[in-house]
Amino acid sequence: MDASLTLLILDLVGVYFFAVSGSLLAARQRFDLVGSLLLACVAGLGGGVVRDLVLGAGPPVVFTQPLYLVPPVVAVVTVYFISASVRRYNRLLVVFDAAGLALFCVSGTLIGLNAHQHPVAAALLGVTTAVGGGLLRDVIANVTPTLFDQREFYAIPAFVGAALTVAAESAGLLQGVAAIVIAALVFGLRVAGRRLRWSIPLASRNVVD
Amino acid sequence: MDASLTLLILDLVGVYFFAVSGSLLAARQRFDLVGSLLLACVAGLGGGVVRDLVLGAGPPVVFTQPLYLVPPVVAVVTVYFISASVRRYNRLLVVFDAAGLALFCVSGTLIGLNAHQHPVAAALLGVTTAVGGGLLRDVIANVTPTLFDQREFYAIPAFVGAALTVAAESAGLLQGVAAIVIAALVFGLRVAGRRLRWSIPLASRNVVD
Amino acid sequence: MDASLTLLILDLVGVYFFAVSGSLLAARQRFDLVGSLLLACVAGLGGGVVRDLVLGAGPPVVFTQPLYLVPPVVAVVTVYFISASVRRYNRLLVVFDAAGLALFCVSGTLIGLNAHQHPVAAALLGVTTAVGGGLLRDVIANVTPTLFDQREFYAIPAFVGAALTVAAESAGLLQGVAAIVIAALVFGLRVAGRRLRWSIPLASRNVVD
């Protein structure tokens, strides 16, 4: 399987996972099916649109390859048939969001490197892609972004994944295998960090009320 | 009247309608005149800026044709002189928002087709243009987006209008007449759907609390 | 010192001031250090990313010059070591936000002029750059944008600064000196307007409840 096909599959699967997170949020907020589709599109495709606008190499891929519209539609159908409690939605949302984050920080970085960006820019692009869709999803649905939630361990795994992708690429490791190993690691970090309540110091050493 | 002039007029009138919706929201939220102008610009010009960034053919049209700044200024003046109750603001807001939606899903799709996008991409661009300005307006003013409001019938009319525009164009119908008929239909669908309380199934078949 | 170096320094200092405003907001909202870094990046770099996307001349400068990542990191460290009360955070936030606004409306306009935009477009770009980062910061942190806060005098100084920059440039005044004088004036206007409670008429002459 060649590198660009691997990358396309990684990217589409990432779109699906984030799109499910968008539809789950729509279900939890009791939006209707159209709201579900729109939030699936924003969550699944938002990060990639920002990435492609930044790269500036023509229209974002979703506008040139309608194939990218399939995962959001499948996500809406998937979520429609899940019967669950609000509590279970939240748990599912974290898992799908983590999977999307894992795949996008890798695929976003690789797309940046393939577009001949220098390594720091490519890693930054990977983090932007990974964090962007979920951030847009939360801002648009008017909930506090997961990104700023103290109980979550969100951006660090994406930074780690983007940095490892740059390192693996410059070490000449095979893209396909390395990509999946790194994505699995990012997913594990995100989920473990949440479960084990890893926390990061507050933004200020000392806030006096 | 040639096609590009028709398109320019449609687009400017759409900018005006959405700009009025922005200023009405500013009035309802008791923002000042500067807030009114900014919300008029975001609502009226936001969808088109996103559309032009996606097309990637140079700076968005508002930055190259200062003519586009006229409708928001006129909208601010219009709203300043409307004396109304909060209740009546909400009713006016729906009408102007519907008119903007109707014109933008048509003009956005036509601009996409004129830029040689394939039909699905052009329709998607039309929906993005139509829905984008109102979404940015609501997110920035920190109110729940109309797009996700159960009582509204919002995105479906935009999808229908974009699809009909693609169909009319490929059938070789005259742009000017077809555009106005489709826009009127989208407006009617949006307003009728709201009045008759058409509703769409929820995002999930079964949410248990 | 040549003009482009002056411009780079003005822009980097503006990034630092806005980045501090982002980190201060993160501290006030009790986000962690990663949230502080992200909000510093959004506030400091967001306006410039939008500006560069609009100009459409390749990837935004932050992705091509990693130097731009330094001010947000320094801002996070700065804020971490400030011990202050919530009340004092708000006061500091206004000062840093005003300084960023002052520098960005000048540097954004100059960058627009250097990219051969016509004067109105360049001024609009300056205002967008100046107002954009703070707006993204507030929307993402889910607080009411400072831009719409009645007690603030926010957008007018940015408009004045952008207009004066266009005027100074077309009068052939030295960029470096003129830029600093204009920025100081914008800063003064913003801070004085707030202190002296200058207010602007409401968006509507008459809202009846």
Side-chain angles (χ1 to χ4, degrees), chain A residues 53-54 117-118 120-121 124-125 128 135 139 142 144-145 147-148 150 155-156 200-209, chain C residues 27 30-36 38-39 53 59-60 63-64 66 69 79-86 89 139-140 142:
Chain A
L53 289 180
V54 164
Q117 299 293 303
H118 66 74
V120 176
L124 193 61
L125 206 58
T128 303
L135 186 61
V139 166
N142 211 9
T144 308
L147 196 56
F148 296 125
Q150 289 283 8
I156 303 260
I200 297 159
L202 287 183
S204 174
R205 224 173 26 154
N206 191 5
V207 181
V208 186
D209 275 308
Chain C
R30 298 186 182 267
F31 293 159
D32 62 28
L33 276 173
V34 173
S36 179
L38 289 162
L39 222 44
L53 289 180
F63 287 92
T64 54
L69 295 172
V79 170
Y80 182 69
F81 288 105
I82 295 176
S83 293
S85 61
V86 169
Y89 273 119
V139 166
I140 285 175
N142 212 9

Side-chain angles (χ1 to χ4, degrees), chain A residues 46-167:
Chain A
V49 167
V50 172
R51 178 197 66 210
D52 293 347
L53 289 180
V54 164
L55 283 174
V61 71
V62 53
F63 288 92
T64 55
Q65 289 200 28
L67 186 62
Y68 273 81
L69 295 172
V70 174
V73 171
V74 178
V76 168
V77 175
T78 314
V79 170
Y80 181 69
F81 288 105
I82 295 178
S83 292
S85 61
V86 169
R87 195 190 163 84
R88 183 141 175 268
Y89 274 118
N90 287 337
R91 230 177 295 141
L92 285 172
L93 214 161
V94 170
V95 173
F96 278 93
D97 184 272
L101 188 80
L103 290 171
F104 273 7
C105 72
V106 176
S107 69
T109 307
L110 285 176
I111 289 169
L113 290 170
N114 288 353
H116 308 290
Q117 299 293 303
H118 66 74
V120 176
L124 193 61
L125 206 58
V127 173
T128 303
T129 312
V131 161
L135 186 61
L136 287 172
R137 176 197 65 208
D138 295 344
V139 166
I140 286 175
N142 211 9
V143 301
T144 308
T146 317
L147 196 56
F148 296 125
D149 191 327
Q150 289 283 8
R151 294 161 303 175
E152 305 285 346
F153 190 69
Y154 199 87
I156 303 260
F159 277 110
V160 170
L164 287 178
T165 304
V166 167

Side-chain angles (χ1 to χ4, degrees), chain B residues 95-160:
Chain B
V95 172
F96 279 94
D97 183 274
L101 188 81
L103 291 171
F104 273 6
C105 71
V106 176
S107 68
T109 306
L110 286 176
I111 289 170
L113 290 170
N114 289 353
H116 306 291
Q117 300 291 304
H118 66 73
V120 176
L124 193 60
L125 206 57
V127 173
T128 304
T129 311
V131 160
L135 186 60
L136 286 171
R137 176 197 66 207
D138 294 344
V139 165
I140 285 175
N142 211 10
V143 300
T144 308
T146 317
L147 197 55
F148 296 126
D149 192 326
Q150 290 283 8
R151 294 162 302 176
E152 305 286 347
F153 189 69
Y154 201 86
I156 302 258
F159 277 111
V160 170

